[in-house]
Amino acid sequence: MMNQHGISVIIHTYNAEQHLERVLQSVAGFDELIVCDMESTDATLAIAERHGCRILTFPRGEHRIAEPARQFAIDRASCDWILTVDADELVSPELRDYLYAHIATEQPAAGLYLARRNYFMGRFLHAAYPDYVLRFFRREQTTWAPYVHTLPVVVGEVARIDKRRHELALEHLANDSVAVILRKTNDYSDNEQIKRSGKRYGVAALFLRPLVRFTKSYFIKGGCRDGVPGLIHALLDGVYQLVMVAKNIERRQGKP
């Protein structure tokens, strides 16, 4: 039976043992904890079982991203409200209390964008804050497309939590290295080709998109305040755009 006044937390996992213990501790106060696992081979499932999570299995197959499993898990949740959390994100007690207070109001927004605090090379990144993600929503009013970096589509009003409320932001535990970001760049840009299959980028985009992304990250969003890590991160943002456009051109030319 659907719990209309409860919140199900959904965490998608694949070999997520590194941070999962802390993540599950941070969401212990919610009505339902669901771990949607993509056939992990490490201690992920043992940790989830120890915390009393409901475990769903989504076949990994050729998938390298979590998005294809999201709708699968949402459809199987038992509460009317859903909070999706990555396996390297912490939920503060203040955020938990805020979400329950929100659904107790007479006309709560059907979805909420949550801010997220990100780190790189040991530094909090001003350029990557508030990094809003749409992670809280009514179950029956939401669908999630199976493509990388997509947002759920929520029918109804969607609001944002004030970015000045830092205590309500998700804490992103990942402190990615350059090597990890480059690996993600390759994987995510491959999946972007599916989402952007109708796009046709020209040679000018090879210069303009990386330049625009670097300018936005370093100057407009404040990466210049983060020292050398901020500069490197902004350059890597530009590299992502370069790789994504290059693969688009390569695909249209029929290259493997």
Side-chain angles (χ1 to χ4, degrees), residues 3-226:
N3 182 353
Q4 296 183 349
H5 303 289
I7 299 174
S8 294
V9 175
I10 295 176
I11 303 171
H12 298 86
T13 58
Y14 175 69
N15 290 348
E17 65 180 5
Q18 181 179 6
H19 301 298
L20 189 58
E21 190 83 39
R22 291 182 64 190
V23 172
L24 291 176
Q25 289 172 354
S26 78
V27 296
F30 289 90
D31 297 282
E32 181 180 42
L33 304 182
I34 297 175
V35 167
C36 186
D37 187 70
M38 299 176 75
E39 301 179 319
S40 292
T41 58
D42 65 356
T44 293
L45 293 181
I47 295 170
E49 290 171 355
R50 189 161 65 246
H51 284 266
C53 297
R54 179 184 167 198
I55 298 174
L56 303 175
T57 299
F58 184 85
R60 178 169 170 78
E62 298 298 318
H63 299 302
R64 289 181 288 176
I65 56 175
E67 279 79 3
R70 293 196 188 275
Q71 192 65 50
F72 175 83
I74 291 168
D75 289 340
R76 287 158 178 79
S78 62
C79 295
D80 189 41
W81 291 90
I82 304 293
L83 172 64
T84 62
V85 180
D86 286 348
D88 58 0
E89 295 172 342
L90 299 181
V91 176
S92 68
E94 293 86 355
L95 177 58
R96 182 187 63 231
D97 293 345
Y98 182 95
L99 296 178
Y100 275 104
H102 176 77
I103 66 175
T105 59
E106 287 190 10
Q107 293 184 318
L112 287 178
Y113 278 92
L114 313 182
R116 183 167 60 170
R117 295 172 59 87
N118 293 292
Y119 300 84
F120 175 64
M121 296 177 68
R123 293 281 297 269
F124 165 71
L125 289 176
H126 291 85
Y129 187 81
D131 188 25
Y132 276 118
V133 285
L134 183 50
R135 297 288 192 79
F136 185 70
F137 42 80
R138 280 191 184 274
R139 173 183 177 272
E140 294 185 354
Q141 293 176 226
T142 303
T143 55
W144 206 314
Y147 307 120
V148 70
H149 292 163
T150 53
L151 293 175
V153 177
V154 178
V155 177
E157 179 190 359
V158 176
R160 295 189 178 212
I161 295 178
D162 190 341
K163 65 181 180 181
R164 294 171 295 183
R165 300 284 304 274
H166 286 260
E167 77 279 11
L168 301 180
L170 294 171
E171 188 80 4
H172 196 189
L173 295 174
N175 185 14
D176 289 342
S177 65
V178 173
V180 168
I181 288 181
L182 289 174
R183 175 178 57 78
K184 289 181 177 179
T185 292
N186 190 47
D187 288 345
Y188 292 169
S189 59
D190 277 349
N191 285 282
E192 286 270 14
Q193 301 312 307
I194 301 172
K195 187 171 67 173
R196 298 171 182 263
S197 59
K199 294 283 187 178
R200 295 179 62 87
Y201 295 113
V203 173
L206 290 168
F207 299 94
L208 293 177
R209 289 189 69 92
L211 178 60
V212 169
R213 181 56 62 91
F214 170 80
T215 301
K216 180 179 179 181
S217 179
Y218 192 66
F219 294 107
I220 299 175
K221 298 190 69 175
C224 53
R225 301 165 60 187
D226 299 322

